[in-house]
Amino acid sequence: MKNTAVAKVLQDIADLLELKGENPFKVRAYQRAARAIEHLPTEVERMVRNGGELENIPGVGQALAKKLTELVSTGRLDYYERLQAEFPEGISTLLDIPGIGPKTAMRLSSELGIKSIDDLESAIGEGKVAFLFRLGERTSDNLLHQIQALRRKDQRIPIGEALPVVEEILSALRPLPGLRNLTPAGSLRRFRESVGDIDLMGTADDAGKAIEAFVDLPQVKEVLARGSTKASVIVSGGLQVDLRLVEHERFGSLLQYFTGSKQHNIALGERGHRQGLKLSEYGITGLASGQTETFASEEAFYHRLGLQFVPPELREGQQEIALAEQDSLPGLIEVTDVKGDLHVHTSWSDGRDSIEAMASAAAVRGYRYLAITDHSAGRGIARGLNEERLRQQIAEIRELNRRLAGIRLLSGAEVDIRADGSLDLPEEVLSQLDIVIAAIHSAMGQDREKMTRRILRALDSPHVDILAHPTCRLLGEREPIMVDLEAVFLAAAAGGKALEINAMPSRLDLKDIHVFRARELGVKLIIGTDAHSTGHLDFMRFGVGVARRGWCEAEHILNTRPLAEVEAFLHS
Ligand code: DGT
Ligand code: CA
Ligand code: CA
């Protein structure tokens, strides 16, 4: 059972307990545990198998630990089933829809017999929902909008596809006179690996004009909704883009609210409430005075609450608010901290460009060093290098280093880890390289034990410096390999090996929560683009985004260090 499924059960229980009018502390405990489990780097199922660490999960006490054990070992939870039996069928489904609270869900169920989202959609169509609640059509329409959004959310779009589309829209709109502060918010700004929809925020002298320009963009295929200050469209590729505009002086609260995450906002709102304040996209309102203060910047918004500015990538409702209170959030790595790329391919193997072209493209990006890491001959790898060719390449790189100024090339290889964990190049060749990256490219279906042993064996080689794309997943295409990552992290930390955050948008591997855990365990990390052409060097920003979501500072990432330090690591 996956952690997301476990978290869903706990969230359902919280909803049902709330519906029952149970003690809010109990409800909150379940919500908190659900959130923690959703972000847990280790599978609960595995923790149970290894015995007992469950109570280290925030919000999980003895009783809940027992329930989790039952759930993941049998796939069922008696307590949950009995609780569900107290309510009409389909209640949990209704509660999943934003805008439907417990009371509404109960009435929809008991008075209209609604059991599913399809039922609800037809009831709205027949006007029954508007009638039941004596709602205006608007609220009922809004529900319909939420349903459609929910459906669309099943098809999340990888950030690597969404970001270029968004940037194109931003550059088309930015020149409009009187339009300012145009910025993506939502999951895209938080740099989640996939996004449900795009939320753009801005401020305008004349919002109506800006909205008109937005819906008239050539990228727009369909206009879902259009008002005087906001609009929702579908652009080519099926992505939904919402634009909201407010007056300039309210930009801070607008951006803060719609950046989310929802969990972060809820936690922030609860804290505000204890301070006698109500937070919204319009500003901060004193509960006693009824006066609303406006905020032109997010910094000012957070400061008013007594908090350090929280970088968007950290706003996931974990510990960021508690740490912001103590002014102790990490200073996250920035793209400009990166001093070189340690994983690139050239036309010697399956890359497009020459070593020299890659070197000058790297120099243009301000890099001090670049590791050339073409594939080994391995099985199934396009045009991998055999020993002979690799020796020639080492000689050529030596020659180039004599000629090139400002950037240092490192001779390397991305050596294939064979099915038994042995490496695809002889020791004698590996020992002549400055840097050796090991990676899996075949036999990905091995079971967990075998795969873990295979990777640990590769990491055991004194020549290997880095394990690349450790889980081998391809976003939306290939599931990660089955491997005991915790064991890999521990071995890497003990053996002084680095793990890669592969920045290729189709990989993003390690991913955010794994980066978080690896860093916690003191594992050295690198960000590699795996570039197969000069343009791919720009993937670096995706890797930096993942590192930021893993709470990494520059010091955690080897290729932000000066060359001497990188060389010291490689020689150690
Ligand atoms: P997505 O689109 O699924 O990738 O994820 P987000 O985070 O972009 O979510 P979205 O587009 O539904 O909403 C954008 C932000 O608006 C969200 O991150 C926080 C805020 N927001 C939306 N609904 C709620 C809500 O019910 N309560 C609170 N406090 N904030 C919300
Ligand atoms: Ca969104
Ligand atoms: Ca949205």
Side-chain angles (χ1 to χ4, degrees), residues 197-199 240 242:
D197 69 3
I198 303 297
D199 312 279
Q240 179 179 331
D242 299 345

Side-chain angles (χ1 to χ4, degrees), residues 320-490:
E320 71 275 13
I321 295 175
L323 290 173
E325 247 166 36
Q326 302 154 22
D327 217 17
S328 38
L329 287 173
L332 300 180
I333 176 180
E334 314 259 356
V335 173
T336 49
D337 291 325
V338 175
K339 295 208 166 57
D341 202 327
L342 297 176
H343 185 173
V344 311
H345 297 270
T346 71
S347 51
W348 281 66
S349 69
D350 60 350
R352 194 197 68 183
D353 295 312
S354 68
I355 300 176
E356 202 164 353
M358 293 301 281
S360 46
V364 165
R365 285 161 179 79
Y367 289 168
R368 299 301 173 79
Y369 46 86
L370 179 72
I372 305 298
T373 56
D374 277 311
H375 290 288
S376 61
R379 47 151 303 229
I381 299 169
R383 305 177 51 210
L385 305 189
N386 59 21
E387 292 176 54
E388 174 60 29
R389 293 268 296 149
L390 190 51
R391 273 183 236 277
Q392 287 169 13
Q393 192 188 55
I394 293 171
E396 168 156 338
I397 288 173
R398 216 169 273 155
E399 175 54 33
L400 277 169
N401 270 331
R402 271 193 283 272
R403 278 203 284 126
L404 295 172
I407 187 156
R408 174 89 193 169
L409 295 177
L410 302 175
S411 284
E414 179 180 4
V415 60
D416 188 41
I417 304 175
R418 296 193 194 114
D420 64 356
S422 63
L423 301 174
D424 189 35
L425 283 167
E427 301 231 339
E428 186 258 315
V429 186
L430 294 176
S431 67
Q432 293 180 38
L433 294 168
D434 300 320
I435 178 169
V436 175
I437 295 180
I440 284 181
H441 300 96
S442 62
M444 295 186 195
Q446 289 179 336
D447 69 37
R448 191 184 174 87
E449 264 73 21
K450 206 163 176 191
M451 184 63 85
T452 305
R453 242 182 296 128
R454 173 183 181 185
I455 293 177
L456 294 188
R457 181 174 169 202
L459 284 180
D460 220 25
S461 157
H463 302 295
V464 169
D465 303 301
I466 295 161
L467 176 68
H469 45 75
T471 75
C472 296
R473 70 156 176 184
L474 291 178
L475 267 165
E477 262 180 63
R478 183 168 71 211
E479 287 297 298
I481 54 173
M482 286 185 295
V483 60
D484 185 348
L485 271 183
E486 186 85 1
V488 172
F489 294 166
L490 292 171

Side-chain angles (χ1 to χ4, degrees), residues 64-272:
L64 191 48
K66 235 177 110 186
K67 291 196 179 82
L68 285 172
T69 307
E70 179 188 334
L71 179 62
V72 298
S73 33
T74 66
R76 298 177 47 184
L77 180 59
D78 189 49
Y79 174 72
Y80 178 42
E81 287 174 10
R82 277 187 289 128
L83 195 59
Q84 278 180 315
E86 292 177 37
F87 295 94
E89 188 189 333
I91 278 284
S92 309
T93 314
L94 292 177
L95 285 169
D96 285 344
I97 302 171
I100 296 192
K103 276 202 199 105
T104 311
M106 276 310 268
R107 290 195 62 196
L108 288 171
S109 167
S110 56
E111 294 177 40
L112 297 179
I114 292 171
K115 295 192 179 63
S116 66
I117 291 187
D118 287 341
D119 289 353
L120 179 59
E121 199 170 8
S122 28
I124 292 172
E126 291 159 22
K128 288 183 187 162
V129 174
F131 183 75
L132 174 67
F133 295 107
R134 300 178 196 283
L135 300 171
E137 299 242 319
R138 259 189 71 191
T139 314
S140 150
D141 273 355
N142 182 38
L143 266 185
L144 200 56
H145 191 70
Q146 298 287 5
I147 291 174
Q148 284 157 352
L150 209 62
R151 291 228 163 99
R152 226 173 267 121
K153 279 206 171 167
D154 291 340
Q155 325 154 0
R156 300 181 65 82
I157 298 185
I159 190 160
E161 284 171 36
L163 198 55
V165 177
V166 172
E167 282 170 346
E168 204 181 291
I169 294 174
L170 293 178
S171 38
L173 290 178
R174 282 214 169 104
L176 284 182
L179 180 62
R180 276 193 254 157
N181 295 314
L182 195 64
T183 316
S187 50
L188 187 85
R189 182 163 181 244
R190 303 197 313 279
F191 222 90
R192 280 197 60 180
E193 66 187 36
S194 68
V195 299
D197 69 3
I198 303 297
D199 312 279
L200 299 182
M201 305 296 137
T203 64
D205 297 337
D206 183 347
K209 264 225 175 79
I211 294 291
E212 194 176 308
F214 173 62
V215 299
D216 283 345
L217 286 175
Q219 292 91 338
V220 171
K221 293 283 164 266
E222 190 191 340
V223 179
L224 297 175
R226 172 191 182 157
S228 54
T229 59
K230 60 184 182 186
S232 263
V233 303
I234 304 283
V235 297
S236 13
L239 197 58
Q240 179 179 331
V241 184
D242 299 345
L243 172 65
R244 285 170 193 271
L245 300 168
V246 289
E247 313 89 272
H248 305 299
E249 64 274 15
R250 290 186 196 269
F251 183 62
S253 47
L254 178 80
L255 183 61
Q256 195 290 319
Y257 182 85
F258 286 102
T259 295
S261 67
K262 191 170 163 187
Q263 285 82 353
H264 175 82
N265 284 354
I266 289 172
L268 206 62
E270 283 173 1
R271 187 174 174 281

